[in-house]
């Protein structure tokens, strides 16, 4: 059957796409023998193919059926011979002539030949009918053998390629293929390809003819799709077409690409064909995987690999399908285990049942891992390896809690015997990987469960005395950790937690008794708790109680720190068994917060007087409250003084050269002032670590300025008056320095800076013009004694002021060009530091001006050592940079000097011409030049003549001759002529501009 004789394909829409036009369903319907199933019966088994009806032989076909090929040939010969003879006889009888007899013989012979041809021509049709009836007699057409078909063909002497016989074979093949392919709603079983290939070989049909039948089946599916009117049926027909493509491609193998023109006939794309092949291969492989259970063996894995290759499924898809199947098997066990754990009616053995399900999961996972490491792994199905729940039902945040619940149950079961076996550890690692739990999540669960078991075993060891009687308690605890695979560091943290709980119970009444101390010591020894851990626990727990007592004491204020408060502080400090350092640390933290509040209010004050008042409140708080608090913490008697003269000693002994500063003398208390103000405040709690040094010195300086100016009150019209000034403020200043944590050196530095500031301000007024006179020196000496600044530092300030004034004057002179190198050298001889007084930029400008003066001096001299070495050294500038400046100036001045010389020549200024030519020679000496060019050679000759008459040195004259480009002969002629050109009257000269 020729596919070209079938209906045209250019109007076929893609069978792999949904119907695009409802008008297709209105076309003429055709009756076909392809079985269909409706959408509601898609899951039922396909009905058996209808029996093939028998065909009857008609007319001459019955005669041909009874004749063998030789008999049929003999009969044909007899018919032809008889017809010829009869024709000849009739022609002779009725025609009466020989020609008539021959004509009659020819006519009847032709008729006999036609009858004989018809007899032989009907043989293929008779053979086809017999083949049809023979196949119809079979219940299973696949039992048909190739020999049977050849026997029928030989019986009637026909060729299998005869049209009628071949058409019958094609029809049989087409019906078989249609019956083998399941309807659209059913899946392939996997044996369709083998059955079709076997039947094709039995029929002996050629691949092109068989392929044409597959294309015809596709057309039938297309026509059938036109008949359906609902969407579900349309989907079924599309799936049927996909299965046809897939099975056909497998049947014809590599030849399918040119035997099956799906794209040309049905307008489908390569991607649609690939999808059809892929989807059906996946379905077949998935159905094959359904037979695989948790007890999979190597033979099944090999069979799966063979099936994958047979189905033409890619390794990637096969791997994904296998992993998905393995995941579903595992998910079944997990779902059962989760149901058991979540069951409200579950009994105690429920956890064991859930663990059994997890053991099955682990066994299956270990089996797959072993297959992955098998030597024949290349022959196994793709995708074997550890199981993972990624991409499945339990891959999500909503299910993670259930997996954690299972993991916790497995950990609890593993520790139910009081120890953790090595195999259980490995199982837990595999289970964590299967569940996809993070390392931290799994460790947190294991730690929680193991901690409870450890606590239980530890409590048992303490209660039965096993831990206390152990020779080495550390070894006992380490052995317990090893049995449970518990981190010793976590065990130490647990011991600390137990100790803290015990300590909190003991201090519930506000103090520790001797019995409590003994019990805590016993617990500490048994649990091997380090001393620093014990101290930290006491500091935190007992310290929090003590901190509350301290805060209450501080909150009582200056007037509320009475005997009851003192008693509570002493009781807490002693009863809670805190070390003096710890108690002082707690008190220091609370006190420093109060100090900081005073500091904040002092900074926020509007003026210096208000800031000083806040600082005085802080000093009073320190003296009346904090000092008493420190005494109570230390447990000192009431009559013991807390005076510590260390601060004063530091001030007295350090930096003795500053003893003359008046403000520093005043902060040292005398007896009368001490008796007036009472005992000094404590200096153990300070703000040294809470505030930067700058902030602390600024606060100290603020109060020092208050001591100097006194309390200032503003009156109308913007005036100020000092209403109160008392030297006792200096003693408070000393206490402020102790609160701020300032060292003696830092305090001295504040006083020194203030004294220097006062001296500098008045000295700058005295030395306004930078000149020192005898009267001014006396004024400065009196000022220095009044402030108390040492002579050495006063002289430094005076020198700084005069130097600054001188520096300004020198810079002005350089800028205005009133300073030359001679003056610079005189200043250096007078020990004036020019480097600090004159900026480098100005020194470079001075060097450039000096070099420019050399090039315009008119002497023609250039001293390289002076310019390149001495002057840069005197100005302290970079010598290489200076050399570059010289070269740049020389190049620019060289050409300018020639132009200037010609201009002066035209003005008949001989002296100017000589000076300009000397400048040209000086520039050439700095940077040797080539011969210069000029538009009027006569002017160059005149320049040479004028310079010749100035009595120059031979070297200069020779160099000028070279630069002006004058030959030796011209130079000799000019010497003879003298200054003839210059004696010509001005009217006869013709200057070319």
């Amino acid at each position: 059957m020729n596919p070209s004789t079938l209906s045209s394909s250019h109007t076929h829409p893609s069978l792999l796409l949904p119907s695009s036009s409802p008008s297709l369903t209105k076309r003429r319907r055709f009756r076909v023998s392809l079985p269909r199933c409706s959408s509601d019966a898609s899951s039922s088994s396909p009905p058996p193919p209808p029996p093939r009806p028998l065909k009857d032989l008609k007319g001459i076909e019955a005669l041909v059926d009874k004749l063998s090929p030789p008999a049929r040939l003999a009969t044909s010969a007899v018919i032809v011979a008889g017809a010829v003879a009869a024709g000849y006889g009739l022609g002779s009888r009725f025609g009466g002539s020989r020609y008539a007899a021959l004509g009659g013989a020819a006519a009847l012979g032709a008729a006999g030949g036609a009858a004989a041809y018809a007899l032989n021509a009907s043989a293929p049709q008779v053979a086809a009918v017999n083949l049809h009836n023979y196949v119809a007699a079979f219940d299973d057409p696949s039992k048909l053998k190739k020999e049977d078909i050849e026997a029928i063909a030989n019986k009637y002497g026909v060729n299998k390629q005869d049209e009628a016989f071949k058409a019958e074979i094609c029809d049989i093949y087409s019906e078989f293929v249609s019956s083998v392919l399941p309807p659209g709603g059913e899946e392939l079983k996997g044996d369709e390809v083998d059955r079709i290939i076997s039947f094709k070989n039995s029929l002996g049909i050629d691949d092109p003819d068989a392929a044409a039948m597959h294309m015809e089946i596709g057309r039938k599916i297309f026509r059938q799709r036109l008949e359906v009117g609902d969407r579900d049926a349309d989907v079924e027909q599309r799936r049927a077409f996909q299965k046809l493509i897939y099975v056909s491609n497998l049947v014809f193998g590599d030849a399918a690409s040119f035997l099956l023109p799906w794209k040309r006939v049905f307008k489908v794309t390569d991607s649609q064909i690939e999808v059809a092949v892929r989807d059906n291969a996946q379905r077949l492989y998935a159905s094959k995987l359904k037979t695989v259970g948790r007890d999979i063996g190597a033979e099944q894995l090999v069979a799966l690999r063979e099936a994958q290759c047979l189905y033409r499924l890619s390794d990637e898809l096969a791997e994904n399908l296998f992993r998905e199947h393995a995941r579903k098997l595992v998910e079944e066990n997990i779902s059962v285990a989760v149901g058991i754990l979540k069951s409200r009616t579950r009994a105690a053995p429920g956890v064991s049942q859930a663990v059994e399900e997890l053991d099955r999961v682990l066994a299956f996972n270990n089996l797959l891992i072993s297959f992955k490491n098998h030597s024949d792994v290349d022959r196994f199905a793709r995708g074997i390896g550890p199981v993972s729940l990624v991409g499945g039902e339990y891959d999500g945040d909503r299910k993670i809690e259930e997996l954690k619940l299972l993991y916790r149950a497995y950990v609890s079961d593993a520790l139910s015997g009081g120890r953790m076996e090595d195999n259980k550890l490995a199982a837990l690692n595999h289970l964590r990987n299967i569940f996809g739990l993070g390392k931290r999540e799994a460790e947190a669960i294991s730690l929680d469960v193991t901690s409870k078991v450890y606590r239980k075993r530890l409590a048992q060891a303490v209660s039965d005395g096993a831990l206390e009687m152990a020779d080495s308690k550390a070894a006992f605890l380490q052995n317990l950790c090893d049995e449970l695979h518990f981190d010793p560091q976590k065990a130490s943290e647990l011991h600390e937690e137990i100790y803290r709980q015990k300590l909190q119970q003991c201090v519930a009444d506000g103090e520790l008794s001797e019995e409590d101390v003994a019990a805590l010591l016993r617990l500490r020894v048994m649990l091997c708790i380090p001393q620093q851990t014990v101290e930290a626990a006491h500091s935190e727990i007992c310290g929090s109680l003590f901190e509350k007592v301290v805060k209450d004491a501080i909150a009582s204020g200056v007037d509320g720190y009475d005997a009851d408060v003192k008693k509570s502080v002493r009781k807490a400090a002693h009863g809670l068994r805190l070390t003096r350092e710890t108690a002082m640390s707690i008190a220091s933290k609370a006190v420093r917060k109060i100090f900081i509040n005073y500091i904040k209010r002092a900074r926020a004050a509007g003026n210096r007087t208000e800031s000083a008042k806040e600082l005085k409140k802080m000093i009073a708080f320190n003296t009346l409250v904090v000092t008493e608090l420190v005494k109570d913490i230390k447990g000192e008697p009431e009559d013991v003084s807390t005076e510590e003269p260390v601060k004063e000693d530091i001030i007295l002994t350090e930096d003795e050269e500053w003893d003359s500063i008046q403000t520093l003398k005043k902060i040292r208390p005398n007896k009368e002032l001490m008796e007036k103000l009472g005992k000094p405040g404590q200096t153990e709690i300070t703000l040294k670590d809470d505030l930067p040094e700058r902030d602390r010195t600024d606060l100290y300086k603020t109060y020092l300025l208050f001591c100097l100016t006194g309390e200032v009150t503003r009156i109308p019209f913007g005036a100020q008056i000092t209403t109160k000034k008392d030297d006792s403020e200096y003693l408070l200043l000393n206490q402020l320095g102790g609160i701020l944590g300032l060292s003696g050196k830092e305090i001295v530095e504040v006083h020194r800076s203030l004294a220097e500031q006062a001296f500098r301000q008045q000295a700058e007024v005295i030395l306004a013009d930078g000149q020192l006179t005898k009267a001014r020196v006396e004024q400065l000496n009196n000022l220095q004694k009044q402030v108390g600044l040492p002579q050495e530092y006063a002289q430094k300030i005076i020198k700084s002021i005069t130097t600054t004034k001188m520096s300004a004057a020198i810079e002005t002179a350089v800028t205005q060009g009133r300073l030359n190198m001679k003056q610079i050298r005189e200043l250096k001889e007078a020990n004036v530091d020019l480097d600090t007084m004159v900026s480098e930029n100005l020194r470079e400008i001075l060097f450039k001006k000096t070099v420019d003066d050399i090039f315009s001096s008119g002497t023609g001299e250039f001293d390289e050592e002076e310019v390149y070495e001495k002057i840069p050294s005197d100005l302290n500038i970079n010598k290489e940079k200076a050399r570059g400046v010289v070269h740049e100036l020389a190049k620019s001045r060289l050409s300018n000097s020639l132009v200037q010389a010609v201009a002066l020549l035209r003005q008949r200024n001989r002296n100017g011409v000589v000076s300009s030519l000397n400048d040209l020679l000086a520039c050439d000496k700095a940077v040797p030049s080539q011969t210069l060019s000029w538009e009027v050679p006569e002017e160059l000759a005149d320049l040479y003549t004028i310079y010749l008459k100035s009595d120059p040195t031979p070297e200069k004259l020779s160099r000028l001759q070279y630069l002006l480009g004058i030959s030796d002969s011209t130079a000799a002629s000019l010497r003879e002529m003298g200054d003839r050109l210059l004696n010509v009257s001005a009217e006869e000269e013709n200057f070319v501009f």
Side-chain angles (χ1 to χ4, degrees):
M1 184 179 293
N2 191 349
S4 63
T5 62
L6 301 177
S7 60
S8 176
S9 63
H10 68 276
T11 59
H12 294 178
S14 175
L15 287 175
L16 300 180
L17 296 174
S19 177
S20 60
S21 174
S23 63
L24 293 177
T25 61
K26 299 180 181 180
R27 297 183 180 181
R28 181 179 177 184
R29 300 177 182 270
F30 297 91
R31 293 183 61 84
V32 295
S33 61
L34 182 69
R36 292 191 292 122
C37 67
S38 61
S39 59
D40 57 349
S42 61
S43 62
S44 62
S45 60
R52 294 170 60 87
L54 299 177
K55 292 182 179 180
D56 297 330
L57 297 176
K58 300 177 181 178
I60 195 173
E61 295 176 352
L63 176 61
V64 173
D65 182 55
K66 294 180 170 30
L67 295 176
S68 63
R72 189 173 65 249
L73 292 175
T75 302
S76 298
V78 170
I79 291 174
V80 172
V84 171
Y88 188 85
L90 289 174
S92 299
R93 181 177 180 182
F94 293 102
S97 66
R98 178 178 177 84
Y99 294 105
L102 292 175
L108 289 182
Y117 176 77
L119 181 65
N120 288 315
S122 62
Q125 180 62 30
V126 173
V129 171
N130 276 275
L131 177 61
H132 175 85
N133 294 335
Y134 180 80
V135 174
F138 281 93
D139 294 333
D140 184 6
S142 61
K143 296 180 180 179
L144 184 65
K145 297 180 180 180
K146 185 176 182 181
E147 293 78 8
D148 299 336
I149 298 175
E150 292 178 351
I152 294 174
N154 293 334
K155 176 181 177 181
Y156 295 100
V158 297
N159 194 328
K160 289 173 62 177
Q161 297 300 320
D162 287 340
E163 185 175 354
F165 197 77
K166 179 180 176 181
E168 183 62 29
I169 291 176
C170 291
D171 288 342
I172 294 172
Y173 178 77
S174 177
E175 291 182 7
F176 181 80
V177 173
S178 299
S179 65
V180 168
L181 291 176
E186 297 182 12
E187 301 294 342
L188 294 170
K189 296 180 177 60
D191 60 344
E192 290 84 358
V193 175
D194 293 337
R195 292 175 60 189
I196 292 174
I197 293 176
S198 177
F199 190 73
K200 180 169 72 72
N201 295 334
S202 298
L203 287 177
I205 186 172
D206 296 334
D207 283 349
D209 296 333
M213 292 300 98
H214 284 259
M215 300 300 294
E216 181 61 23
I217 294 172
R219 291 187 177 90
K220 289 180 182 180
I221 295 174
F222 171 73
R223 290 194 297 271
Q224 200 167 27
R225 183 185 176 196
L226 296 179
E227 296 177 2
V228 299
D230 59 288
R231 183 176 180 180
D232 293 339
D234 183 73
V235 172
E236 286 187 12
Q237 300 309 318
R238 187 166 64 253
R239 289 192 61 186
F241 187 70
Q242 288 179 332
K243 286 184 283 189
L244 173 65
I245 291 177
Y246 174 66
V247 172
S248 301
N249 285 349
L250 293 185
V251 168
F252 296 103
D254 296 335
S257 58
F258 59 87
L259 289 177
L260 301 170
W262 304 113
K263 294 187 291 184
R264 178 174 57 81
V265 176
F266 297 102
K267 301 300 181 183
V268 296
T269 63
D270 290 333
S271 61
Q272 289 173 330
I273 295 175
E274 290 177 1
V275 169
V277 174
R278 182 196 65 195
D279 291 350
N280 284 280
Q282 281 183 302
R283 294 189 187 100
L284 281 176
Y285 194 73
S287 64
K288 188 77 172 178
L289 285 173
K290 291 180 181 179
T291 61
V292 175
R294 297 174 186 83
D295 56 347
I296 185 172
E299 296 79 6
Q300 286 180 292
L301 292 174
V302 173
L304 284 174
R305 175 61 177 167
E306 293 174 352
Q308 175 204 336
C309 298
L310 178 63
Y311 300 154
R312 292 190 180 181
L313 184 65
S314 66
D315 288 349
E316 181 181 359
L317 294 176
E319 181 177 345
N320 293 337
L321 288 173
F322 187 90
R323 289 181 176 174
E324 181 181 358
H325 178 70
R327 187 186 67 240
K328 289 180 179 179
L329 292 177
V330 169
E331 286 175 350
E332 293 177 2
N333 296 108
I334 292 176
S335 298
V336 173
V338 171
I340 293 173
L341 291 180
K342 286 189 173 183
S343 176
R344 295 182 179 180
T345 60
R346 67 180 177 89
V351 176
S352 300
Q353 295 175 2
V355 171
E356 289 177 0
E357 294 294 331
L358 296 180
D359 285 334
R360 294 189 182 97
V361 171
L362 292 171
F364 181 55
N365 182 69
N366 293 334
L367 180 62
L368 293 181
I369 293 175
S370 66
F371 282 132
K372 183 179 181 181
N373 300 325
H374 198 276
S375 58
D376 294 334
V377 66
D378 293 337
R379 298 178 55 208
F380 292 164
R382 298 296 181 260
I384 57 174
V387 182
S388 175
L389 297 180
V390 177
E393 176 186 355
Y394 289 91
D395 182 18
D397 295 337
R398 292 184 300 175
K399 295 289 187 178
I400 192 66
E401 295 302 326
E402 295 180 356
L403 297 178
K404 289 181 180 180
L405 182 64
L406 291 177
Y407 190 82
R408 180 181 293 273
Y410 200 87
V411 175
S412 300
D413 182 76
L415 292 171
S416 59
R419 59 186 302 117
M420 175 70 76
E421 303 295 340
D422 292 338
N423 60 337
K424 290 294 184 179
L425 274 179
L428 283 171
N429 288 331
H430 288 306
L431 196 62
R432 177 176 67 84
N433 294 332
I434 293 172
F435 287 173
L437 295 178
K439 186 176 182 180
R440 291 186 179 179
E441 293 175 321
E443 287 180 351
I445 295 172
S446 299
L447 179 61
D448 185 32
V449 177
T450 311
S451 298
K452 293 177 181 179
V453 177
Y454 183 82
R455 276 178 175 270
K456 184 177 179 181
R457 291 201 57 184
L458 189 62
Q460 182 180 358
V462 172
S463 61
D464 60 15
L467 179 57
E468 192 170 8
M469 291 185 297
D471 295 334
S472 174
K473 295 173 177 55
F476 184 92
L477 295 174
Q478 182 63 45
N479 182 56
L480 184 58
C481 291
D482 293 340
E483 290 180 358
L484 296 175
H485 288 274
F486 192 43
D487 186 4
Q489 181 62 35
K490 299 295 182 182
S492 299
E493 295 174 2
L494 190 59
H495 297 165
E496 180 181 354
E497 182 182 352
I498 295 172
Y499 185 86
R500 285 174 173 271
Q501 292 174 354
K502 180 66 175 176
L503 179 59
Q504 287 175 345
Q505 294 174 1
C506 294
V507 298
D509 57 352
E511 61 179 345
L512 286 174
S513 64
E514 295 297 334
E515 293 79 7
D516 294 335
V517 173
L520 289 172
L521 179 59
R522 174 175 173 269
L523 182 62
R524 174 196 164 190
V525 171
M526 284 194 300
L527 298 182
C528 301
I529 302 176
Q531 178 64 28
Q532 60 268 22
T533 303
V534 172
E535 292 177 356
H538 279 262
S539 177
E540 180 180 346
I541 297 173
C542 299
S544 62
L545 297 176
F546 182 72
E547 183 181 7
K548 183 178 183 303
V549 175
V550 170
K551 288 182 177 179
D552 292 340
I554 293 174
S556 62
V558 176
D559 300 327
Y561 199 89
D562 53 15
D564 293 336
V565 175
K566 292 172 66 68
K567 182 179 179 181
S568 64
V569 171
R570 289 176 177 264
K571 177 184 176 182
H574 176 72
L576 293 174
R577 309 297 176 101
L578 291 170
T579 62
R580 177 174 294 185
E581 292 76 11
T582 303
M584 284 299 297
S585 175
I586 296 171
S588 174
K589 183 178 179 181
V591 169
R592 284 185 284 112
K593 287 183 179 179
I594 304 298
F595 285 165
I596 292 296
N597 290 334
Y598 281 114
I599 297 297
K600 289 180 179 178
R601 289 197 293 269
R603 287 176 174 174
N607 52 57
R608 185 186 302 157
T609 301
E610 296 299 324
S611 297
K613 288 180 179 180
E614 293 297 330
L615 294 176
K616 288 174 70 174
K617 292 178 182 179
M618 181 176 70
I619 297 169
F621 171 76
N622 179 66
T623 303
L624 301 176
V625 177
V626 181
T627 303
E628 295 298 322
L629 178 66
V630 172
K631 287 171 58 178
D632 295 333
I633 291 174
K634 293 181 177 180
E636 297 176 353
E638 294 293 331
D639 57 348
V640 176
S641 175
T642 59
E643 179 181 358
E644 297 184 8
V646 178
K647 178 69 70 175
E648 284 69 25
D649 291 343
I650 294 176
I651 296 176
L652 288 172
T653 56
E654 289 186 355
D655 300 323
E656 295 180 357
E657 60 183 340
W658 300 101
D659 287 347
S660 59
I661 298 178
Q662 298 300 317
T663 57
L664 195 58
K665 289 181 179 180
K666 292 181 180 180
I667 68 172
R668 298 168 184 167
N670 53 36
K671 293 182 179 180
E672 295 179 0
L673 199 56
M674 287 292 295
E675 292 176 358
K676 181 179 178 180
L677 296 178
K679 298 178 181 179
Q682 61 82 33
T683 56
E684 293 188 39
I685 301 176
T686 68
L687 295 175
K688 183 176 182 180
D689 298 328
D690 297 271
L691 295 175
E693 180 183 348
R694 181 182 180 84
D695 292 348
R696 291 184 285 121
T697 54
D698 286 346
L699 290 169
Y700 186 88
K701 187 175 182 179
T702 299
Y703 201 86
L704 175 57
L705 291 173
F706 171 76
C707 295
L708 290 171
T709 60
E711 187 172 329
V712 178
T713 303
R714 294 182 180 274
I715 61 176
F717 305 106
Q720 299 179 353
I721 61 174
T722 302
T723 59
K724 183 180 180 182
K725 186 175 181 182
D726 190 354
D727 287 345
S728 63
E729 298 292 349
Y730 286 97
L731 181 58
L732 299 180
L733 176 64
N734 188 18
Q735 295 183 14
L736 177 62
I739 296 173
L740 295 175
L742 293 173
S743 64
K745 184 177 181 180
E746 291 170 340
I747 291 176
V748 169
E749 181 66 21
V750 175
H751 286 267
R752 179 196 62 78
S753 64
L754 199 61
E756 284 187 353
Q757 181 180 352
F759 182 82
R760 180 180 290 276
Q761 287 176 352
Q762 298 185 47
E764 285 181 347
V765 175
I766 296 173
L767 299 173
D769 57 358
Q771 300 296 324
L772 273 176
T773 63
K774 184 177 181 181
R776 291 178 179 178
V777 170
E778 291 180 357
Q779 282 183 304
L780 292 172
N781 290 336
N782 293 333
L783 177 62
Q784 179 254 327
K785 292 178 181 179
Q786 181 182 354
V787 176
L789 194 67
Q791 180 68 25
E792 178 184 354
Y793 295 92
Q795 291 300 321
K796 286 183 179 179
I797 294 174
I798 295 171
K799 183 177 180 181
S800 172
I801 295 172
T802 55
T803 302
T804 302
K805 300 292 184 181
M806 187 182 298
S807 175
I810 291 174
E811 286 194 2
T812 303
V814 171
T815 305
Q816 296 177 356
R818 294 185 288 103
L819 196 66
N820 54 32
M821 283 306 302
K822 181 179 180 182
Q823 295 169 328
I824 289 293
R825 285 167 178 161
E826 290 176 354
L827 289 174
K828 292 192 71 174
E829 290 176 357
N831 296 325
V832 176
D833 189 3
L834 291 176
D835 295 347
T836 58
M837 293 184 179
V838 183
S839 64
E840 183 179 2
N841 185 39
L842 286 176
R843 282 182 272 128
E844 291 177 354
I845 293 174
L846 180 59
F847 174 78
K848 187 174 183 180
K849 182 179 181 305
T850 302
V851 174
D852 191 65
D853 291 342
I854 292 173
F855 287 150
S856 61
S857 62
T859 61
E861 299 297 330
F862 181 81
D863 189 349
E864 293 186 358
E865 183 180 1
E866 174 74 11
V867 175
Y868 291 145
E869 299 293 336
K870 293 182 179 180
I871 297 178
S873 178
D874 292 337
L875 295 176
N876 194 18
I877 60 176
N878 184 274
K879 294 182 179 180
E880 293 298 326
K881 189 174 182 180
R883 185 180 292 270
V885 171
V886 172
H887 289 181
E888 183 180 353
L889 281 174
K891 290 178 182 177
S892 62
R893 293 283 302 178
L894 184 70
S895 58
N896 291 338
S897 297
L898 178 61
V899 174
Q900 187 177 5
V902 173
L904 293 172
L905 173 67
R906 294 173 181 177
Q907 297 174 12
R908 306 180 65 80
N909 186 347
R910 291 193 175 191
N911 294 331
V913 169
V914 172
S915 296
S916 297
L917 291 176
N918 279 332
D919 293 341
L920 185 145
L921 290 173
C923 294
D924 175 70
K925 192 172 183 180
V927 181
S929 174
Q930 300 294 328
T931 301
L932 301 175
S933 61
W934 190 253
E935 296 177 354
V936 184
E938 292 79 3
E939 290 182 339
L940 297 179
D942 290 342
L943 292 176
Y944 180 80
T945 303
I946 292 174
Y947 194 77
L948 176 66
K949 294 299 182 179
S950 65
D951 195 19
T953 61
E955 294 81 6
K956 291 183 178 180
L957 185 63
S958 175
R959 186 61 183 171
L960 181 65
Q961 177 185 341
Y962 169 76
L963 292 175
L964 296 179
I966 298 175
S967 63
D968 294 340
S969 59
T970 304
S973 174
L974 290 175
R975 291 191 191 97
E976 293 176 359
M977 293 176 63
D979 56 350
R980 179 184 60 82
L981 294 175
L982 298 176
N983 294 328
V984 180
S985 61
E987 293 78 6
E988 295 177 354
E989 290 182 350
N990 184 18
F991 292 91
V992 180
F993 293 93

